[in-house]
Amino acid sequence: MSESETQSPDKTPGRIRTITDLAKVAGVSPGTVSRALSGNSLVNAKTREKIELIAREHGFRPNQMASRLRRQKTGVIGVAIPLGHDVRQQISDTFFMTLLGYLADELTEKGYDLMLRRVIPAQDEDWLDRFIGSGMVDGVIVIGQSDQFDRIEDVADGYLPMVVWGNHQEGQRHCVVGSDNRLGGKLAAEKLIASGATSLAFLGDTQPIEFAARFAGAREVAEKMGVPIRALPTHLSPDRTSKEIADHLIRIDANVDGIFAATDTVAVACLKELRNRDVEVPEQVKIVGFDDLPIANQTVPPLTTVRQDIAAGAKGLVDLLLRRLTGDDTESLVLPPHLIVRETT
Amino acid sequence: MSESETQSPDKTPGRIRTITDLAKVAGVSPGTVSRALSGNSLVNAKTREKIELIAREHGFRPNQMASRLRRQKTGVIGVAIPLGHDVRQQISDTFFMTLLGYLADELTEKGYDLMLRRVIPAQDEDWLDRFIGSGMVDGVIVIGQSDQFDRIEDVADGYLPMVVWGNHQEGQRHCVVGSDNRLGGKLAAEKLIASGATSLAFLGDTQPIEFAARFAGAREVAEKMGVPIRALPTHLSPDRTSKEIADHLIRIDANVDGIFAATDTVAVACLKELRNRDVEVPEQVKIVGFDDLPIANQTVPPLTTVRQDIAAGAKGLVDLLLRRLTGDDTESLVLPPHLIVRETT
DNA sequence: ATGAAAGCGCTAACAG
DNA sequence: CTGTTAGCGCTTTCAT
């Protein structure tokens, strides 16, 4: 009875690419195939089995482009990394990349695909609108505000499904997930001072808003405690950092005995330069980093640092975005950083 | 005459979302709008200008989903990272992530978008076919063969536009771009021995084919030189590595005086454990890493390592893929690694 | 140089 | 439970 069903006379079935091809072979209508394959409506068990069998045998996959056009949703979340300041730095930045990894995990788990776009705002004014309006994504996650705070604000009012990793500013309109950088800065400065530092320096770029907030937090504490603090500008890519740090160290010398590095990467470079100069850490100079990257635990001595919970950040970004996808106008999420005391203080 | 053109009685024009909406406003047919916006055919300059103006004013973006369905190409390249062994390790692996960053650069430059998919083959047998058959990508780049060599081979014959980062095996069918790991292993062992090491150890997981090749290269040299070598299995995620290395070091003690680490990450952890034990590097034990990540230059002492040219790798992957997209059945590309001598040998 | 018309492959009412 | 029908928004002949 079922012997001859699929034994059509022509032994060259011509690859079965569309749901309609499959429908013909199965002897049903395209609609039924669609239903069967999406496991959705009530389809006769036998019919479904037959369809699934044929699909498997022929390695058939429904065309997502068509499906998504029809359903008016893409199942794709766009992730944009704006490269504002230090172009090469950010994309290879360990912190962002780790965040990206976790984001990929979270999104996959929720059944979304991730479209990654690296953008250079200076070369492409229109990056955010282009991404949003492309019709290729249901929502957008922006990793890092970079120097694009204002542009993001502009877009936020008209486009709900967007969440940004970055710093939270009083009264801002876009939904952001990020660490409390100011608090992190405070923790760092407090620890430095508690460990006996009497003159502080912030090592890093103070342009990006996150770093500015870290510095501001540290300064607030320092001023309250009557401890001087200065900012020592530095690029963040390891290759350039080292030399710049070296230059700073020459100039400041015995003066500064507490360094707050904008990121662990900077802290590591700093640690190395200090060692080159035979400055003892933490005896002569104390250091606190930021991020708690894996390397922080591998330096000698191991780095005291302010930990950002990357996994929680990724989870927050995705959760909020999914809620916004349903029309919810969510609040921002500010995560508390934690001081991880190791041996550089 | 043109005063009242767009002054339709209803002041609520209802956002103009489709090419047809725009066509109505511009008083032309959808076809013309399509042509004008794609800058393609000969369209009257005035008509084009008018259409472009309206598009800009209303922030109109053509729906890519529809466009791509119609044109039967997506403009998207899929990038899959199979997480074979050490699930958490690989996605956050600095090397792969840096490669991903460069890939994003290259693809963007060539006008492609990048769809990232993190894949756990153990949980999803079908990952590669699903990605390829999804209709969402024009081609696929796989970052790392992991333990999926065979599955990739299976697919390779029937699917041209795929390029893989990984190790090259004599006679394999899939197109691969990667460093000559065996040669890298040789370079490492040669350097270790030339620096006076008399008993070698390979630190790392020898399961993944890339690492197996590194070990094989080192062993070939060691055997030729009559120097003993052993493999010391280790996971690759920094947190687990440290303890495992510590265990190894306790057992091997003064015996081994030359360590070839499977990656820089492992080397860094190893360096730290040695320092904890007051073993002097390179006096008592010499170390060579692999990758030349930025940290390699930040350790104390700076790490001698085998450099992989990540940027060249990314460029190679994209170039080959684009050629395959045109139907070219390209050869694999094996890149020569370079020994970077610093101070751990 | 432009309009009309026919789909790309799939889904979702709406009838049976 | 299944077939029929009407598009999703865009591109591309084919005429004009």
Side-chain angles (χ1 to χ4, degrees):
Chain A
M1 193 174 175
S2 63
E3 286 287 4
S4 61
E5 297 252 353
T6 50
Q7 295 282 38
S8 56
D10 60 301
K11 282 301 306 171
T12 332
R15 195 161 114 36
I16 149 177
R17 300 178 321 102
T18 77
I19 225 168
T20 313
D21 296 347
L22 179 29
K24 251 168 231 149
V25 176
V28 296
S29 77
T32 303
V33 175
S34 174
R35 286 185 280 254
L37 257 31
S38 64
N40 234 335
S41 315
L42 299 284
V43 179
N44 183 322
K46 282 204 156 155
T47 317
R48 149 172 289 119
E49 271 167 36
K50 186 204 264 175
I51 290 173
E52 281 174 345
L53 176 68
I54 300 177
R56 226 172 308 116
E57 274 178 347
H58 294 255
F60 169 75
R61 319 262 165 203
N63 181 317
Q64 296 294 338
M65 230 69 204
S67 162
R68 288 166 182 196
L69 169 60
R70 177 59 232 250
R71 302 170 40 190
Q72 296 292 76
K73 62 169 310 233
T74 67
V76 179
I77 300 299
V79 174
I81 307 187
L83 271 35
H85 319 270
D86 212 340
V87 171
R88 256 283 36 106
Q89 180 262 324
Q90 303 218 32
I91 188 80
S92 60
D93 178 278
T94 311
F95 181 81
F96 282 172
M97 280 306 185
T98 308
L99 181 56
L100 178 60
Y102 281 99
L103 276 178
D105 285 358
E106 285 294 328
L107 288 172
T108 303
E109 196 169 300
K110 309 285 189 188
Y112 281 91
D113 272 316
L114 187 166
M115 192 148 120
L116 177 63
R117 200 176 277 195
R118 200 191 148 280
V119 287
I120 304 179
Q123 292 172 14
D124 178 13
E125 294 264 315
D126 211 23
W127 64 275
L128 190 47
D129 299 280
R130 290 239 323 269
F131 207 16
I132 287 170
S134 71
M136 286 297 290
V137 298
D138 290 339
V140 171
I141 292 174
V142 179
I143 303 189
Q145 291 143 326
S146 184
D147 50 7
Q148 298 294 301
F149 192 95
D150 294 338
R151 186 149 302 145
I152 297 171
E153 281 287 272
D154 289 345
V155 166
D157 291 323
Y159 186 71
L160 197 61
M162 174 175 74
V163 183
V164 179
W165 173 269
N167 194 67
H168 182 72
Q169 202 90 323
E170 194 61 47
Q172 74 177 56
R173 281 161 298 161
H174 67 263
C175 177
V176 79
V177 174
S179 297
D180 188 335
N181 287 295
R182 176 173 263 271
L183 172 58
K186 286 191 197 174
L187 294 175
E190 279 166 3
K191 179 62 188 169
L192 250 12
I193 294 170
S195 302
T198 58
S199 175
L200 305 187
F202 176 80
L203 209 55
D205 192 350
T206 51
Q207 282 291 307
I209 193 164
E210 293 101 319
F211 299 155
R214 292 174 197 178
F215 179 48
R219 192 170 46 196
E220 185 186 324
V221 167
E223 283 172 359
K224 194 182 297 168
M225 310 282 281
V227 173
I229 184 169
R230 69 182 97 182
L232 266 24
T234 307
H235 284 90
L236 296 170
S237 51
D239 33 327
R240 305 165 76 181
T241 311
S242 291
K243 209 187 134 15
E244 292 170 344
I245 291 176
D247 292 347
H248 285 313
L249 291 179
I250 288 170
R251 248 175 284 129
I252 63 177
D253 247 313
N255 213 343
V256 166
D257 55 4
I259 293 178
F260 174 27
T263 70
D264 283 352
T265 315
V266 173
V268 168
C270 182
L271 219 41
K272 183 191 171 63
E273 284 304 323
L274 288 171
R275 168 168 296 269
N276 283 349
R277 301 181 144 50
D278 288 320
V279 176
E280 285 182 24
V281 177
E283 291 77 8
Q284 294 174 262
V285 173
K286 294 155 204 356
I287 304 187
V288 175
F290 208 104
D291 287 346
D292 195 29
L293 302 179
I295 20 159
N297 201 18
Q298 302 288 355
T299 56
V300 274
L303 184 67
T304 294
T305 191
V306 178
R307 176 168 221 282
Q308 304 200 68
D309 189 340
I310 305 184
K315 194 162 170 19
L317 285 166
V318 172
D319 286 351
L320 289 184
L321 185 62
L322 294 190
R323 283 176 46 201
R324 291 189 150 244
L325 246 19
T326 70
D328 227 349
D329 191 350
T330 60
E331 290 297 314
S332 289
L333 174 62
V334 177
L335 301 165
H338 297 284
L339 185 71
I340 306 292
V341 179
R342 295 205 181 89
E343 298 167 30
T344 55
T345 49
Chain B
M1 192 175 174
S2 64
E3 286 288 5
S4 60
E5 297 252 350
T6 50
Q7 295 283 41
S8 55
D10 59 301
K11 281 302 304 172
T12 332
R15 194 161 114 38
I16 149 176
R17 301 179 320 101
T18 77
I19 224 170
T20 313
D21 296 345
L22 178 30
K24 251 168 231 148
V25 176
V28 296
S29 78
T32 304
V33 174
S34 174
R35 287 185 279 254
L37 256 32
S38 64
N40 233 335
S41 315
L42 299 286
V43 178
N44 183 322
K46 282 202 156 155
T47 317
R48 151 171 288 118
E49 271 167 36
K50 186 204 261 174
I51 291 172
E52 280 174 345
L53 177 67
I54 299 176
R56 226 173 306 116
E57 275 177 347
H58 294 255
F60 170 75
R61 318 263 165 206
N63 181 316
Q64 296 294 337
M65 230 71 202
S67 161
R68 288 166 181 194
L69 170 60
R70 178 58 232 249
R71 304 171 42 187
Q72 297 293 75
K73 62 168 308 226
T74 67
V76 178
I77 299 299
V79 175
I81 306 187
L83 271 35
H85 320 269
D86 212 340
V87 171
R88 257 282 37 104
Q89 179 261 323
Q90 303 218 33
I91 189 82
S92 59
D93 179 278
T94 311
F95 182 81
F96 282 172
M97 280 306 185
T98 309
L99 181 56
L100 178 61
Y102 281 99
L103 275 178
D105 285 358
E106 285 293 328
L107 287 172
T108 304
E109 196 169 301
K110 308 286 190 189
Y112 281 91
D113 272 316
L114 186 165
M115 191 147 120
L116 177 63
R117 199 175 277 195
R118 198 190 149 281
V119 165
I120 303 179
Q123 292 172 16
D124 178 12
E125 295 262 315
D126 210 24
W127 63 276
L128 191 46
D129 298 281
R130 290 238 325 269
F131 207 16
I132 287 170
S134 72
M136 287 296 292
V137 298
D138 291 338
V140 171
I141 292 174
V142 179
I143 302 190
Q145 291 144 326
S146 184
D147 50 7
Q148 297 293 301
F149 191 95
D150 294 338
R151 187 149 300 146
I152 297 171
E153 280 287 272
D154 289 346
V155 166
D157 291 323
Y159 186 71
L160 197 60
M162 173 175 75
V163 183
V164 179
W165 172 269
N167 194 65
H168 183 71
Q169 202 91 323
E170 194 61 47
Q172 74 177 56
R173 282 162 296 163
H174 67 265
C175 177
V176 79
V177 174
S179 297
D180 187 335
N181 287 296
R182 177 173 263 271
L183 172 58
K186 285 192 199 174
L187 294 175
E190 279 167 3
K191 179 61 188 170
L192 250 12
I193 294 171
S195 302
T198 59
S199 174
L200 305 187
F202 177 80
L203 209 56
D205 192 349
T206 52
Q207 283 290 307
I209 193 164
E210 293 99 319
F211 299 155
R214 292 173 197 178
F215 180 47
R219 191 170 46 195
E220 185 186 325
V221 167
E223 283 173 359
K224 195 181 296 168
M225 310 284 279
V227 173
I229 184 169
R230 70 182 97 183
L232 266 25
T234 307
H235 284 91
L236 296 170
S237 52
D239 34 327
R240 305 166 76 182
T241 310
S242 291
K243 210 187 133 18
E244 292 170 345
I245 291 175
D247 292 346
H248 285 313
L249 291 179
I250 288 169
R251 247 175 286 127
I252 63 175
D253 247 313
N255 213 342
V256 166
D257 56 4
I259 293 178
F260 174 27
T263 70
D264 283 352
T265 315
V266 172
V268 168
C270 182
L271 219 41
K272 183 191 171 64
E273 284 305 324
L274 289 171
R275 168 168 296 270
N276 283 350
R277 301 180 143 49
D278 289 320
V279 176
E280 285 182 24
V281 177
E283 290 77 7
Q284 293 173 262
V285 172
K286 294 156 204 353
I287 304 187
V288 175
F290 208 105
D291 288 346
D292 195 30
L293 302 179
I295 21 158
N297 201 18
Q298 302 286 355
T299 56
V300 275
L303 184 66
T304 295
T305 191
V306 178
R307 175 168 221 282
Q308 304 199 67
D309 189 340
I310 305 184
K315 194 161 168 22
L317 285 166
V318 172
D319 286 351
L320 289 184
L321 185 62
L322 294 190
R323 283 176 46 202
R324 290 187 151 245
L325 246 18
T326 69
D328 228 349
D329 191 349
T330 59
E331 290 297 314
S332 289
L333 174 62
V334 178
L335 301 165
H338 297 284
L339 185 71
I340 305 292
V341 179
R342 296 205 180 89
E343 298 166 31
T344 55
T345 49

